[in-house]
Amino acid sequence: HRRAVAEAIVAAPPSDVWAILTDYEALPDIVPSLAACELLAREEVKVVATGSNSTSSSSTSSSSPTSTSSATTARARIRQVAYKRMQYVELHAEALLDVAELGGREVQFRQVRGDFDALQGKWMVVPLSGETGLPLEGDDDDTSAAAAAAATSTLLRYAVEVKVSRSAAVLRFLEPLLEAAVAEDVPRSLAAIGAAAERRARARRVAEEEEEEEEEEEEASSSVRPRRLPEMAEDFAVLA
């Protein structure tokens, strides 16, 4: 039974980090130990909170006169295949996971069935202040969303818990080996996700700058208003 937790500061806004985390079928191109990731189903749900209570609905909202806030949550089911080569051993594991995306802040996952006796964990996306470098956290979803939109960097946390059944292991020594392999991959996966988010953020900034330059050029060209000068017609007539 093994638990592992890691965190890192990512030089990218939370929106870019979130986009990388939730693009499940692109994850094998990013995470070294992930051989395949198939999105089987996904459903978005609007979570409406009133006071201390909350309800989930895809089509209804609260009509209470008290203050409310809402955030989009999604549920997904994915199939992942992990592969890792270690000294004298090649490890292969497959898992069917239920995933919950919580308002741009957390991605939680739990194994439904697979090669592990138990597998669960979560990613946490925390916006950081550009001035102080401290986490920007709000008391409600609207404040949290505003903080995330204003942040230019992110504190990314990853926690995973894994347990391998002795009866499932071919040899008894494989149990701690498999658990150790998963735990060792936590910081590596975290670094890979962070690097991908930073690349995405840089590419997005370049695209935005190019778009702004194009708009400025269009504005400059549209501001030029040619005027007709009849007196110059005689000059051109002489040249002819």
Side-chain angles (χ1 to χ4, degrees):
H1 190 186
R2 191 72 63 95
R3 294 173 183 161
V5 180
E7 68 176 27
I9 295 177
V10 181
S15 59
D16 289 309
V17 177
W18 186 261
I20 295 295
L21 282 176
T22 55
D23 188 2
Y24 303 112
E25 295 190 328
L27 290 178
D29 296 329
I30 297 172
V31 180
S33 60
L34 197 57
C37 186
E38 181 182 3
L39 178 62
L40 303 178
R42 190 175 186 276
E43 177 187 13
E44 290 192 358
V45 179
K46 179 81 71 173
V47 177
V48 180
T50 304
S52 59
N53 300 321
S54 63
T55 59
S56 299
S57 174
S58 57
S59 60
T60 62
S61 60
S62 173
S63 59
S64 170
T66 58
S67 61
T68 63
S69 61
S70 63
T72 300
T73 298
R75 300 185 183 95
R77 175 161 288 190
I78 61 176
R79 171 185 165 271
Q80 286 190 342
V81 178
Y83 174 84
K84 186 176 179 66
R85 183 187 296 271
M86 302 180 70
Q87 189 174 13
Y88 309 119
V89 178
E90 293 182 359
L91 302 178
H92 177 278
E94 183 174 337
L96 186 66
L97 304 174
D98 274 346
V99 181
E101 302 172 11
L102 306 179
R105 300 186 306 272
E106 284 190 19
V107 177
Q108 301 176 353
F109 60 89
R110 183 186 297 270
Q111 177 183 271
V112 178
R113 64 174 180 270
D115 293 333
F116 298 103
D117 191 50
L119 174 64
Q120 62 182 1
K122 64 180 178 179
W123 294 86
M124 298 181 65
V125 179
V126 182
L128 296 178
S129 168
E131 297 180 356
T132 65
L134 298 176
L136 294 171
E137 297 177 337
D139 296 330
D140 53 43
D141 293 326
D142 293 335
T143 305
S144 297
T152 57
S153 59
T154 306
L155 176 63
L156 182 60
R157 292 174 175 149
Y158 182 31
V160 66
E161 182 178 8
V162 61
K163 181 179 180 182
V164 178
S165 174
R166 287 184 180 273
S167 61
V170 177
L171 297 173
R172 181 166 296 183
F173 78 91
L174 283 181
E175 177 190 5
L177 194 62
L178 282 169
E179 293 178 355
V182 173
E184 289 172 1
D185 270 345
V186 167
R188 295 173 185 170
S189 298
L190 183 73
I193 294 292
E198 291 177 350
R199 290 194 298 270
R200 175 188 170 88
R202 287 194 296 267
R204 180 179 50 77
R205 285 194 293 266
V206 170
E208 289 174 352
E209 291 173 358
E210 291 177 349
E211 185 177 353
E212 289 178 359
E213 289 177 359
E214 290 177 359
E215 291 177 354
E216 291 175 356
E217 290 176 358
E218 289 179 0
E219 291 177 359
S221 61
S222 63
S223 63
V224 177
R225 297 289 185 269
R227 292 182 298 155
R228 295 181 62 85
L229 299 176
E231 63 273 14
M232 290 186 64
E234 297 179 359
D235 297 335
F236 283 103
V238 172
L239 291 174

